[in-house]
Structures are given as C-alpha cells and as structure tokens.
Amino acid sequence: MSTTVTVPDVGRTIRAQREQRGISLRELASRIEVSPATLSGIETGNTTLSVERMCRIADELQLLPHRLLDEVLEGPAGRAGAGQEEHPPYERDDLPGRAQGRWREFPELPLDPALSGALIAFCDKGFHGASIREIADHAGLSVSGLYHYQPGKDAMLPALLDLTMADLTWRLDVARAEVGPGAERLHRTVECLALFHARRPRLAFLGASEMRSLSAGDRARITAERKRVQRILQDDIRSVLGQIPSTGRLMVTLGNAISTMCTSLSQWIHHDGSIAPELIASDYADAAVAMVSAHVVPHQRKAAR
C-alpha cells in the first residue's frame, strides 16, 4: 500500500517551520532562489514541490528533510490520540536550563506543534480572532491532526500561560538566590524580568494581552502566580528604600512602573541585532535601581544634618 504525500500538507509544515524561526517568505524565497510567489504557491499547495527543492528548503530551515514529511507520513497513528493521557502540567524543574540554574540562557521550550501554532496565531490575531484552521496552518497540521496534541483552542491558551509563568518563576528564584538583599538583588530581579520579556517576546506578549480570554479558574491560578512575581519585585524595592516615610506608597507605585517597563519590552523589541537583549536587560536594571535609589538619597541627606 503506497503512501501519497500531498503538497498542501508539506506546504503547511514549511510555513509553520519558517514562521517559528522568524523568517519572512521573501527571505526564504531568496535563499532557495525562487520568487516569493513560487514559495507562496508551495506553502499553499498550488505549486509542485520537487524532492530537490524540499531538501533545499529543509537545509535553510536547519531541519532534516524527513521532518517536513513527518506529519504527512505518520498521520494519526504515531500521535497521542483522544482518550489517551493529556500532556501533564508544566513542572518548573523539567524546563530546559532549570537543572543547571542557567537563568540567562533561553533554549527552545517543550512546545508541541499545536501549541507552537497557537502561539503564533494568538499573537497575530488574538485568542478570539484566531481560528482552529489558522492554528493548524501555523502548526503545519491538518485540523484533525491538531486534536491529537490538544483537546481544543480553549486548552491551548492556559497551557501557554502556565508555561510562561513556570519558565519565568524558576529563573527569578535562581537569579535572586545568587545575591543578597538590597540594590544588588533589585538589579538582578529587574534584569531577569527584562531579559525574559526580551527573549520570550511571544509568550510575554500573550501574557500581557490575553488574560481576559481565560476561564475564571485559569485566570485565578495564573493571576496568583503573576501577583507572586509582583510581590517579589516590591519586596526588593522595599529592601532598597528601607524605612523612609513613604516606603509603602513607593513600593507599590515604583513596582508598578518597573514591571510595566519590563512587560512592554515584548511589544517593541526586535531581534535584529541592533541592541542585544542582554544589554537591554542590564540597562533596565540600572534604570530601576536608579529610580528607586533616587527616593532614598534626600532622606539620607536629611538624616546626616
């Protein structure tokens, strides 16, 4: 019994892999020496794809050629189907880099194809605007294939936001444990927050824009984690401010200002190499410490008189 490989299936996979790497259609077309219209035709299944050209595309995407055929050839048989155990909740200790405590490194996260496609679609169209078909297209899957990974669209958003918080909080805990309280710890906390939002911009953007789309239970759980992060930041600000008269108010207002500064990174940062995310994070941490310390100096001067 022969297996028929359909161009639309391969084309969807090529498109999903290209978008996950942040490569534009025009750029990939230039690399494989075809017109953007030809590559668009390949991705939509309207243009014939030769084995030689498929291998060229796979090479530019840094994939083995068979990866572009996996979904087509394996089909439902090799996937976790309905009725099987669902993907367990993300555990912080299982995330890449956690065991080694490498909080400044950002290896690829364990996203299944459905969640990878959902992340792109939700960021581009919003949760309510993204259709299952669009998610499947970004994932390089058929709609039926999508359901072998996730039970539905409503399950994908909380899964992505749970992963976001798990990946952020282990980094914060490790980063802060390396230094003592005071300005140095505040610097480390803000550096970690800023670096995360610069290095995981899609997940960070989703967390900032789609909390309203969660169910009540999921929203309460993820909100509790977000409040924990905010309390960490406020505690570090308090340790720098000390016992000046306005500590309580400044802890809240400066904490909100600094966290907003960090979360907004995902809305404007572009990894074009002009400014390294590590430098941005260090600059943000310097600015945060200076912002908080500026409120301490006048009180120190008064005490010295």
Side-chain angles (χ1 to χ4, degrees), residues 12-13 16-17 20 67 70-71 74 78-80 87 90 108-121 132 134-142 145-150 156 160:
R12 281 195 293 268
T13 302
Q17 295 289 348
Q20 288 172 26
R67 286 288 306 280
D70 280 349
E71 173 61 24
E74 290 178 13
R79 309 298 185 190
H87 193 290
Y90 292 105
E108 187 175 348
L109 288 169
L111 290 174
D112 64 41
L115 289 182
S116 294
L119 180 58
I120 296 170
I132 286 292
E134 287 169 328
I135 294 171
D137 284 346
H138 284 299
L141 300 171
S142 63
L146 193 77
Y147 289 106
H148 290 301
Y149 291 98
Q150 294 290 327
M156 298 180 200
L160 288 167

Side-chain angles (χ1 to χ4, degrees), residues 1-192:
M1 185 179 199
S2 62
T3 301
T4 301
V5 178
T6 60
V7 173
D9 289 336
V10 178
R12 281 195 293 268
T13 302
I14 291 171
R15 176 184 171 185
Q17 295 289 348
R18 172 177 63 77
E19 291 182 339
Q20 288 172 26
R21 286 158 176 74
I23 302 172
S24 69
L25 186 143
R26 186 174 296 277
E27 180 183 354
L28 181 57
S30 175
R31 291 185 190 180
I32 65 173
E33 300 178 327
V34 301
S35 69
T38 296
L39 180 57
S40 178
I42 291 171
E43 292 188 349
T44 58
N46 296 320
T47 299
T48 302
L49 178 63
S50 67
V51 172
E52 179 183 3
R53 183 163 286 169
M54 184 181 73
C55 291
R56 180 78 179 273
I57 292 171
D59 185 58
E60 291 297 337
L61 295 175
Q62 298 182 339
L63 292 169
L64 294 174
H66 72 80
R67 286 288 306 280
L68 297 179
L69 296 170
D70 280 349
E71 173 61 24
V72 181
L73 296 178
E74 290 178 13
R79 309 298 185 190
Q84 292 183 317
E85 184 179 357
E86 294 183 4
H87 193 290
Y90 292 105
E91 297 292 341
R92 300 196 319 167
D93 290 346
D94 295 335
L95 293 175
R98 172 66 180 91
Q100 299 79 24
R102 297 172 180 168
W103 63 271
R104 286 191 177 97
E105 298 178 14
F106 289 81
E108 187 175 348
L109 288 169
L111 290 174
D112 64 41
L115 289 182
S116 294
L119 180 58
I120 296 170
F122 292 163
C123 287
D124 288 351
K125 294 286 189 70
F127 174 76
H128 293 293
S131 68
I132 286 292
R133 167 61 66 185
E134 287 169 328
I135 294 171
D137 284 346
H138 284 299
L141 300 171
S142 63
V143 170
S144 60
L146 193 77
Y147 289 106
H148 290 301
Y149 291 98
Q150 294 290 327
K153 186 172 118 172
D154 288 344
M156 298 180 200
L157 180 60
L160 288 167
L161 296 186
D162 279 332
L163 175 61
T164 300
M165 296 311 302
D167 194 42
L168 172 60
T169 53
W170 81 253
R171 294 173 186 281
L172 268 178
D173 290 345
V174 171
R176 296 175 72 253
E178 295 174 348
V179 295
E184 189 175 7
R185 181 171 285 175
L186 175 61
H187 191 282
R188 184 63 61 84
T189 295
V190 178
E191 179 191 357
C192 183

